[in-house]
Amino acid sequence: MKLADISIRRPVFAIMMIAALLVFGFVSYPKIGVDLFPNVEFPFVTVTVMYPGADPASMESKVADPLEEAINTMSGIKVLKSISLESVTQVLIQFHLEVDVDTAVQDVRDRVSSTLRKLPAGIDPPVVQKFDVGAAPIMSVALSGNLPARELTRLADDVVKSRVQQIPGVGAVDLVGGRDREIHVLLDPNALAGRGLTVQDLIGALQSQNMELPAGRIEDGQREFAVKTKGEVKSTKEIADILITGIGGARVRVGDVAQVEDGTAEARSHSSMNGASAVALVIRKQSGSNTVEVAKEVHKALAAIDPIVKKAGARLSVPTDNAPFIEHSIDDVKFDLLFGALLAVIVIMFFLHDFRATLISAVSIPASVIATFAFVQVMGFTFNNMTMLALSLSIGILVDDAIVVIENIHRHLEMGKPPLKAAADGTAEIGLAVLATTSSIVAVFVPVAVMKGIIGRFFFQFGMTVSFAVAVSLFVSFTLTPMMSSRLLRRSSHAGRPGFMARISEKLFGAIDRAYRRILGAALHHRLITMIVAVLALVGSFAMVAQVKSEFMPPEDRAQFQLTVELPTGTSLETARKYSEVVAEDLRKNGPGVVGTFVTIGGGAQGQVNIGQIQVLLVSRTKRKYHQEDAMAWVRERYKGTKNAMMTVNPISPIGGDSGFKQQPIQFNIRGTNMAEIEK
């Protein structure tokens, strides 16, 4: 107990030690990020390969099979599967949890690179990504207006996207529903055949005469100049003037055998906001960045470019934004934390009915919590559901050590000892018990932090935060608490006629004491019955636990959910668009509390044009009496008899990501070698 003795003899030293912790906490607080969940890395890696125009069978045999053969030899793989659709293959690799995901991504990238020579020549470069919770989409921006699709896409790409990408913390911005400029060369087969030319001759001429190449340099005395051949075409007329070498060296131009027009790319995705066509910008943050701060900066950027967008005849809207929900969730927990601390102080005052003792006990709460902020910042944690849960839980634990020490010091004061002597002896006498109590709490929560599995990844920050906060409270109870007790507590603090509240509490405690004595006496006189009741309570508890429902996360009311409309494979984008828009319009007119819909088709890595995603926006939770789950149940009931389309209703995933795995809680994986039997 040397630390307590030094603190009692050197009060300034004790105050400075705690003040140093408080300073570190105050300095760290603004630097801590705010997010919904801890930044957890799951060992999932995806490989996405685009092969324009290829059918699913070709994608499986020419792309998926070579990639799977190369990747399958890696160690640590738990699940390896691929999804082959028209023009796209996505290979999904799930590793065991102990595998380092960054190393796994690099190994997969190396295997894919070594397989490139076996893949078809026309594929786009494979994209290897890890499933990163910290890099999930945080908001969507819809750019709509009465503009041609090409102009709207240019505005979204050149103005909105280019500005948003510059914001620190923004990882990527994906466009959905855009149609870029595209030059179409429409061939005339008869004109080609009449001049003895083939399509490959035309393609070769376009490729060889539409490029800019370095051509060395020219030295002129003391200066030199870089030379570049400018051969890139700038207009449709220049494309039409490109020469094709015909039979016998005849001069044939592209315009003689084809029609060149300045058009737009084929629509392979669609987006709309409340029925109006739009270009959606899905914004992803960088892993580890502050979701709330990134969202605030995005809103500032949108406000800055809004005049430019309006001048062009378009408008910006934000249909989905995770930041307000995260802010409200964390703010609610902060309020609960402060309110809990206040209640803890009130309870202490009720039991001790001594303002000085209550003040000494209450000091340990802010001292421990604020010091924990420094630990959270040093460890790279954020203010999220897990760390805030840890701080809220710690509030009731932090005052335990201080109360025990204060009560024992007060007992020594009642024995007639002077305050300094009572503080030293009281702390020394109870110190080992306090240390044992705190150690037992730490022994419970540290294993929580090192649990295995996905749950362990989420609870790491929870366990470590609780353990550190409790350890700081122990430090405070051995330094600041005995020092303040030696200066503030007096033997006469309870002397004189007790007050009204003191008399009420003494009567209440006396009644509780007498009732407990009777119950304890009965238990000791009827030991067999006591043991039987205890065993029955234990068995009954196990039986009741089996009846408690369990899930990974409780249902949340975000005032928005997602309706997926899946049409048969092979359905065109236009058909899927019309079908999804009809459903979205019906929801806006008849859905309970629906204030808007945001439709996207063909987004994500797989780009399936037969699947529409409808994000349904509800009124605020404070303006309706029903839960989001009730609105989702209404949608399921309304569309349960729909034919030729499979509709599923899910909450917006709080984790996000594009891992290729669906959100449904129950899924079946049917495998076999005979496709006809599998389909049957």
Side-chain angles (χ1 to χ4, degrees), residues 170-197:
V170 172
V173 180
D174 302 327
L175 262 62
V176 180
R179 297 182 64 183
D180 294 322
R181 180 189 183 191
E182 189 173 85
I183 305 299
H184 298 153
V185 180
L186 308 177
L187 303 179
D188 184 348
N190 295 327
L192 275 175
R195 291 170 173 77
L197 298 173

PDB file of all heavy atoms in Angstrom, residues 170-197:
ATOM      1  N   VAL A 170     -12.852   9.415 -48.052  1.00  0.00           N
ATOM      2  CA  VAL A 170     -13.680   8.770 -49.079  1.00  0.00           C
ATOM      3  C   VAL A 170     -12.817   7.779 -49.851  1.00  0.00           C
ATOM      4  O   VAL A 170     -11.789   8.143 -50.413  1.00  0.00           O
ATOM      5  CB  VAL A 170     -14.301   9.817 -50.034  1.00  0.00           C
ATOM      6  CG1 VAL A 170     -14.997   9.128 -51.195  1.00  0.00           C
ATOM      7  CG2 VAL A 170     -15.283  10.699 -49.282  1.00  0.00           C
ATOM      8  N   GLY A 171     -13.252   6.524 -49.857  1.00  0.00           N
ATOM      9  CA  GLY A 171     -12.470   5.497 -50.527  1.00  0.00           C
ATOM     10  C   GLY A 171     -12.806   5.334 -51.995  1.00  0.00           C
ATOM     11  O   GLY A 171     -11.927   5.230 -52.846  1.00  0.00           O
ATOM     12  N   ALA A 172     -14.094   5.298 -52.328  1.00  0.00           N
ATOM     13  CA  ALA A 172     -14.513   5.098 -53.714  1.00  0.00           C
ATOM     14  C   ALA A 172     -15.914   5.652 -53.897  1.00  0.00           C
ATOM     15  O   ALA A 172     -16.696   5.752 -52.948  1.00  0.00           O
ATOM     16  CB  ALA A 172     -14.483   3.613 -54.084  1.00  0.00           C
ATOM     17  N   VAL A 173     -16.217   6.014 -55.138  1.00  0.00           N
ATOM     18  CA  VAL A 173     -17.551   6.484 -55.509  1.00  0.00           C
ATOM     19  C   VAL A 173     -17.978   5.696 -56.742  1.00  0.00           C
ATOM     20  O   VAL A 173     -17.351   5.807 -57.807  1.00  0.00           O
ATOM     21  CB  VAL A 173     -17.567   7.997 -55.809  1.00  0.00           C
ATOM     22  CG1 VAL A 173     -18.978   8.437 -56.180  1.00  0.00           C
ATOM     23  CG2 VAL A 173     -17.054   8.787 -54.616  1.00  0.00           C
ATOM     24  N   ASP A 174     -19.011   4.878 -56.601  1.00  0.00           N
ATOM     25  CA  ASP A 174     -19.501   4.042 -57.698  1.00  0.00           C
ATOM     26  C   ASP A 174     -20.735   4.684 -58.314  1.00  0.00           C
ATOM     27  O   ASP A 174     -21.642   5.123 -57.607  1.00  0.00           O
ATOM     28  CB  ASP A 174     -19.851   2.638 -57.197  1.00  0.00           C
ATOM     29  CG  ASP A 174     -18.658   1.950 -56.539  1.00  0.00           C
ATOM     30  OD1 ASP A 174     -17.527   2.212 -56.987  1.00  0.00           O
ATOM     31  OD2 ASP A 174     -18.866   1.166 -55.599  1.00  0.00           O
ATOM     32  N   LEU A 175     -20.781   4.708 -59.660  1.00  0.00           N
ATOM     33  CA  LEU A 175     -21.916   5.263 -60.382  1.00  0.00           C
ATOM     34  C   LEU A 175     -22.854   4.145 -60.819  1.00  0.00           C
ATOM     35  O   LEU A 175     -22.410   3.121 -61.354  1.00  0.00           O
ATOM     36  CB  LEU A 175     -21.448   6.043 -61.619  1.00  0.00           C
ATOM     37  CG  LEU A 175     -21.348   7.573 -61.483  1.00  0.00           C
ATOM     38  CD1 LEU A 175     -20.318   7.928 -60.426  1.00  0.00           C
ATOM     39  CD2 LEU A 175     -21.003   8.208 -62.807  1.00  0.00           C
ATOM     40  N   VAL A 176     -24.145   4.338 -60.574  1.00  0.00           N
ATOM     41  CA  VAL A 176     -25.176   3.391 -60.998  1.00  0.00           C
ATOM     42  C   VAL A 176     -26.215   4.159 -61.791  1.00  0.00           C
ATOM     43  O   VAL A 176     -26.702   5.197 -61.340  1.00  0.00           O
ATOM     44  CB  VAL A 176     -25.844   2.699 -59.791  1.00  0.00           C
ATOM     45  CG1 VAL A 176     -26.924   1.722 -60.263  1.00  0.00           C
ATOM     46  CG2 VAL A 176     -24.815   1.981 -58.945  1.00  0.00           C
ATOM     47  N   GLY A 177     -26.556   3.636 -62.970  1.00  0.00           N
ATOM     48  CA  GLY A 177     -27.567   4.275 -63.808  1.00  0.00           C
ATOM     49  C   GLY A 177     -27.002   5.262 -64.803  1.00  0.00           C
ATOM     50  O   GLY A 177     -27.769   5.919 -65.512  1.00  0.00           O
ATOM     51  N   GLY A 178     -25.687   5.366 -64.901  1.00  0.00           N
ATOM     52  CA  GLY A 178     -25.085   6.307 -65.834  1.00  0.00           C
ATOM     53  C   GLY A 178     -24.913   5.706 -67.220  1.00  0.00           C
ATOM     54  O   GLY A 178     -24.832   4.485 -67.398  1.00  0.00           O
ATOM     55  N   ARG A 179     -24.860   6.589 -68.216  1.00  0.00           N
ATOM     56  CA  ARG A 179     -24.624   6.165 -69.604  1.00  0.00           C
ATOM     57  C   ARG A 179     -23.592   7.115 -70.203  1.00  0.00           C
ATOM     58  O   ARG A 179     -23.870   8.290 -70.468  1.00  0.00           O
ATOM     59  CB  ARG A 179     -25.923   6.188 -70.411  1.00  0.00           C
ATOM     60  CG  ARG A 179     -26.977   5.219 -69.893  1.00  0.00           C
ATOM     61  CD  ARG A 179     -28.225   5.245 -70.757  1.00  0.00           C
ATOM     62  NE  ARG A 179     -27.959   4.784 -72.097  1.00  0.00           N
ATOM     63  CZ  ARG A 179     -28.884   4.764 -73.076  1.00  0.00           C
ATOM     64  NH1 ARG A 179     -30.099   5.218 -72.834  1.00  0.00           N
ATOM     65  NH2 ARG A 179     -28.575   4.315 -74.283  1.00  0.00           N
ATOM     66  N   ASP A 180     -22.385   6.586 -70.406  1.00  0.00           N
ATOM     67  CA  ASP A 180     -21.283   7.395 -70.903  1.00  0.00           C
ATOM     68  C   ASP A 180     -21.395   7.615 -72.411  1.00  0.00           C
ATOM     69  O   ASP A 180     -22.141   6.925 -73.125  1.00  0.00           O
ATOM     70  CB  ASP A 180     -19.943   6.717 -70.583  1.00  0.00           C
ATOM     71  CG  ASP A 180     -19.672   6.670 -69.087  1.00  0.00           C
ATOM     72  OD1 ASP A 180     -20.011   7.653 -68.400  1.00  0.00           O
ATOM     73  OD2 ASP A 180     -19.145   5.641 -68.615  1.00  0.00           O
ATOM     74  N   ARG A 181     -20.614   8.575 -72.865  1.00  0.00           N
ATOM     75  CA  ARG A 181     -20.515   8.825 -74.304  1.00  0.00           C
ATOM     76  C   ARG A 181     -19.849   7.631 -74.980  1.00  0.00           C
ATOM     77  O   ARG A 181     -18.877   7.071 -74.464  1.00  0.00           O
ATOM     78  CB  ARG A 181     -19.705  10.093 -74.551  1.00  0.00           C
ATOM     79  CG  ARG A 181     -19.535  10.437 -76.018  1.00  0.00           C
ATOM     80  CD  ARG A 181     -18.542  11.567 -76.182  1.00  0.00           C
ATOM     81  NE  ARG A 181     -18.417  11.972 -77.579  1.00  0.00           N
ATOM     82  CZ  ARG A 181     -17.476  12.789 -78.034  1.00  0.00           C
ATOM     83  NH1 ARG A 181     -16.581  13.293 -77.189  1.00  0.00           N
ATOM     84  NH2 ARG A 181     -17.427  13.114 -79.308  1.00  0.00           N
ATOM     85  N   GLU A 182     -20.363   7.258 -76.150  1.00  0.00           N
ATOM     86  CA  GLU A 182     -19.806   6.114 -76.883  1.00  0.00           C
ATOM     87  C   GLU A 182     -19.967   6.362 -78.380  1.00  0.00           C
ATOM     88  O   GLU A 182     -21.045   6.744 -78.848  1.00  0.00           O
ATOM     89  CB  GLU A 182     -20.527   4.823 -76.478  1.00  0.00           C
ATOM     90  CG  GLU A 182     -19.886   3.567 -77.016  1.00  0.00           C
ATOM     91  CD  GLU A 182     -20.548   2.319 -76.450  1.00  0.00           C
ATOM     92  OE1 GLU A 182     -21.570   1.881 -77.006  1.00  0.00           O
ATOM     93  OE2 GLU A 182     -20.047   1.788 -75.438  1.00  0.00           O
ATOM     94  N   ILE A 183     -18.891   6.162 -79.125  1.00  0.00           N
ATOM     95  CA  ILE A 183     -18.906   6.329 -80.581  1.00  0.00           C
ATOM     96  C   ILE A 183     -19.295   4.994 -81.207  1.00  0.00           C
ATOM     97  O   ILE A 183     -18.668   3.963 -80.955  1.00  0.00           O
ATOM     98  CB  ILE A 183     -17.543   6.787 -81.114  1.00  0.00           C
ATOM     99  CG1 ILE A 183     -17.088   8.070 -80.396  1.00  0.00           C
ATOM    100  CG2 ILE A 183     -17.607   7.008 -82.618  1.00  0.00           C
ATOM    101  CD1 ILE A 183     -18.010   9.234 -80.575  1.00  0.00           C
ATOM    102  N   HIS A 184     -20.352   5.004 -82.023  1.00  0.00           N
ATOM    103  CA  HIS A 184     -20.823   3.790 -82.688  1.00  0.00           C
ATOM    104  C   HIS A 184     -20.376   3.796 -84.148  1.00  0.00           C
ATOM    105  O   HIS A 184     -20.580   4.792 -84.867  1.00  0.00           O
ATOM    106  CB  HIS A 184     -22.348   3.701 -82.624  1.00  0.00           C
ATOM    107  CG  HIS A 184     -22.873   3.617 -81.217  1.00  0.00           C
ATOM    108  ND1 HIS A 184     -24.120   4.046 -80.843  1.00  0.00           N
ATOM    109  CD2 HIS A 184     -22.296   3.141 -80.083  1.00  0.00           C
ATOM    110  CE1 HIS A 184     -24.306   3.845 -79.550  1.00  0.00           C
ATOM    111  NE2 HIS A 184     -23.196   3.305 -79.065  1.00  0.00           N
ATOM    112  N   VAL A 185     -19.779   2.712 -84.569  1.00  0.00           N
ATOM    113  CA  VAL A 185     -19.391   2.525 -85.970  1.00  0.00           C
ATOM    114  C   VAL A 185     -20.301   1.439 -86.538  1.00  0.00           C
ATOM    115  O   VAL A 185     -20.126   0.247 -86.244  1.00  0.00           O
ATOM    116  CB  VAL A 185     -17.904   2.137 -86.091  1.00  0.00           C
ATOM    117  CG1 VAL A 185     -17.526   1.956 -87.560  1.00  0.00           C
ATOM    118  CG2 VAL A 185     -17.022   3.187 -85.443  1.00  0.00           C
ATOM    119  N   LEU A 186     -21.294   1.838 -87.335  1.00  0.00           N
ATOM    120  CA  LEU A 186     -22.306   0.918 -87.875  1.00  0.00           C
ATOM    121  C   LEU A 186     -21.868   0.475 -89.263  1.00  0.00           C
ATOM    122  O   LEU A 186     -21.839   1.264 -90.225  1.00  0.00           O
ATOM    123  CB  LEU A 186     -23.662   1.619 -87.932  1.00  0.00           C
ATOM    124  CG  LEU A 186     -24.115   2.285 -86.614  1.00  0.00           C
ATOM    125  CD1 LEU A 186     -25.437   3.007 -86.799  1.00  0.00           C
ATOM    126  CD2 LEU A 186     -24.219   1.246 -85.515  1.00  0.00           C
ATOM    127  N   LEU A 187     -21.518  -0.792 -89.384  1.00  0.00           N
ATOM    128  CA  LEU A 187     -20.946  -1.309 -90.629  1.00  0.00           C
ATOM    129  C   LEU A 187     -22.015  -1.528 -91.691  1.00  0.00           C
ATOM    130  O   LEU A 187     -23.174  -1.838 -91.395  1.00  0.00           O
ATOM    131  CB  LEU A 187     -20.220  -2.626 -90.362  1.00  0.00           C
ATOM    132  CG  LEU A 187     -19.100  -2.593 -89.314  1.00  0.00           C
ATOM    133  CD1 LEU A 187     -18.493  -3.978 -89.152  1.00  0.00           C
ATOM    134  CD2 LEU A 187     -18.036  -1.597 -89.718  1.00  0.00           C
ATOM    135  N   ASP A 188     -21.586  -1.397 -92.949  1.00  0.00           N
ATOM    136  CA  ASP A 188     -22.408  -1.746 -94.111  1.00  0.00           C
ATOM    137  C   ASP A 188     -21.794  -2.999 -94.722  1.00  0.00           C
ATOM    138  O   ASP A 188     -20.767  -2.918 -95.412  1.00  0.00           O
ATOM    139  CB  ASP A 188     -22.405  -0.589 -95.116  1.00  0.00           C
ATOM    140  CG  ASP A 188     -23.322  -0.871 -96.302  1.00  0.00           C
ATOM    141  OD1 ASP A 188     -23.773  -2.031 -96.448  1.00  0.00           O
ATOM    142  OD2 ASP A 188     -23.586   0.063 -97.073  1.00  0.00           O
ATOM    143  N   PRO A 189     -22.354  -4.188 -94.467  1.00  0.00           N
ATOM    144  CA  PRO A 189     -21.736  -5.440 -94.948  1.00  0.00           C
ATOM    145  C   PRO A 189     -21.538  -5.454 -96.462  1.00  0.00           C
ATOM    146  O   PRO A 189     -20.522  -5.956 -96.960  1.00  0.00           O
ATOM    147  CB  PRO A 189     -22.723  -6.518 -94.500  1.00  0.00           C
ATOM    148  CG  PRO A 189     -23.487  -5.892 -93.369  1.00  0.00           C
ATOM    149  CD  PRO A 189     -23.580  -4.447 -93.711  1.00  0.00           C
ATOM    150  N   ASN A 190     -22.498  -4.910 -97.206  1.00  0.00           N
ATOM    151  CA  ASN A 190     -22.372  -4.930 -98.668  1.00  0.00           C
ATOM    152  C   ASN A 190     -21.208  -4.058 -99.128  1.00  0.00           C
ATOM    153  O   ASN A 190     -20.454  -4.423-100.039  1.00  0.00           O
ATOM    154  CB  ASN A 190     -23.675  -4.440 -99.305  1.00  0.00           C
ATOM    155  CG  ASN A 190     -24.829  -5.384 -99.016  1.00  0.00           C
ATOM    156  OD1 ASN A 190     -24.628  -6.605 -98.903  1.00  0.00           O
ATOM    157  ND2 ASN A 190     -26.049  -4.845 -98.891  1.00  0.00           N
ATOM    158  N   ALA A 191     -21.055  -2.889 -98.493  1.00  0.00           N
ATOM    159  CA  ALA A 191     -19.949  -2.010 -98.872  1.00  0.00           C
ATOM    160  C   ALA A 191     -18.610  -2.646 -98.533  1.00  0.00           C
ATOM    161  O   ALA A 191     -17.635  -2.516 -99.292  1.00  0.00           O
ATOM    162  CB  ALA A 191     -20.085  -0.662 -98.162  1.00  0.00           C
ATOM    163  N   LEU A 192     -18.534  -3.351 -97.408  1.00  0.00           N
ATOM    164  CA  LEU A 192     -17.295  -4.040 -97.052  1.00  0.00           C
ATOM    165  C   LEU A 192     -16.967  -5.127 -98.054  1.00  0.00           C
ATOM    166  O   LEU A 192     -15.836  -5.235 -98.554  1.00  0.00           O
ATOM    167  CB  LEU A 192     -17.422  -4.647 -95.647  1.00  0.00           C
ATOM    168  CG  LEU A 192     -17.111  -3.757 -94.444  1.00  0.00           C
ATOM    169  CD1 LEU A 192     -17.406  -4.506 -93.154  1.00  0.00           C
ATOM    170  CD2 LEU A 192     -15.665  -3.293 -94.458  1.00  0.00           C
ATOM    171  N   ALA A 193     -17.974  -5.956 -98.343  1.00  0.00           N
ATOM    172  CA  ALA A 193     -17.738  -7.071 -99.266  1.00  0.00           C
ATOM    173  C   ALA A 193     -17.390  -6.559-100.658  1.00  0.00           C
ATOM    174  O   ALA A 193     -16.548  -7.142-101.358  1.00  0.00           O
ATOM    175  CB  ALA A 193     -18.982  -7.969 -99.310  1.00  0.00           C
ATOM    176  N   GLY A 194     -18.032  -5.463-101.097  1.00  0.00           N
ATOM    177  CA  GLY A 194     -17.761  -4.937-102.429  1.00  0.00           C
ATOM    178  C   GLY A 194     -16.341  -4.439-102.593  1.00  0.00           C
ATOM    179  O   GLY A 194     -15.819  -4.397-103.708  1.00  0.00           O
ATOM    180  N   ARG A 195     -15.697  -4.063-101.511  1.00  0.00           N
ATOM    181  CA  ARG A 195     -14.316  -3.588-101.572  1.00  0.00           C
ATOM    182  C   ARG A 195     -13.322  -4.644-101.108  1.00  0.00           C
ATOM    183  O   ARG A 195     -12.143  -4.353-100.926  1.00  0.00           O
ATOM    184  CB  ARG A 195     -14.164  -2.317-100.730  1.00  0.00           C
ATOM    185  CG  ARG A 195     -14.882  -1.110-101.335  1.00  0.00           C
ATOM    186  CD  ARG A 195     -14.931   0.055-100.369  1.00  0.00           C
ATOM    187  NE  ARG A 195     -15.465   1.261-100.959  1.00  0.00           N
ATOM    188  CZ  ARG A 195     -16.751   1.496-101.198  1.00  0.00           C
ATOM    189  NH1 ARG A 195     -17.647   0.556-100.869  1.00  0.00           N
ATOM    190  NH2 ARG A 195     -17.153   2.640-101.758  1.00  0.00           N
ATOM    191  N   GLY A 196     -13.814  -5.865-100.890  1.00  0.00           N
ATOM    192  CA  GLY A 196     -12.931  -6.959-100.494  1.00  0.00           C
ATOM    193  C   GLY A 196     -12.346  -6.800 -99.100  1.00  0.00           C
ATOM    194  O   GLY A 196     -11.226  -7.261 -98.842  1.00  0.00           O
ATOM    195  N   LEU A 197     -13.078  -6.165 -98.214  1.00  0.00           N
ATOM    196  CA  LEU A 197     -12.590  -5.934 -96.859  1.00  0.00           C
ATOM    197  C   LEU A 197     -13.380  -6.769 -95.858  1.00  0.00           C
ATOM    198  O   LEU A 197     -14.512  -7.198 -96.126  1.00  0.00           O
ATOM    199  CB  LEU A 197     -12.714  -4.442 -96.486  1.00  0.00           C
ATOM    200  CG  LEU A 197     -11.907  -3.461 -97.343  1.00  0.00           C
ATOM    201  CD1 LEU A 197     -12.259  -2.028 -96.962  1.00  0.00           C
ATOM    202  CD2 LEU A 197     -10.412  -3.701 -97.179  1.00  0.00           C
TER     203      LEU A 197
END
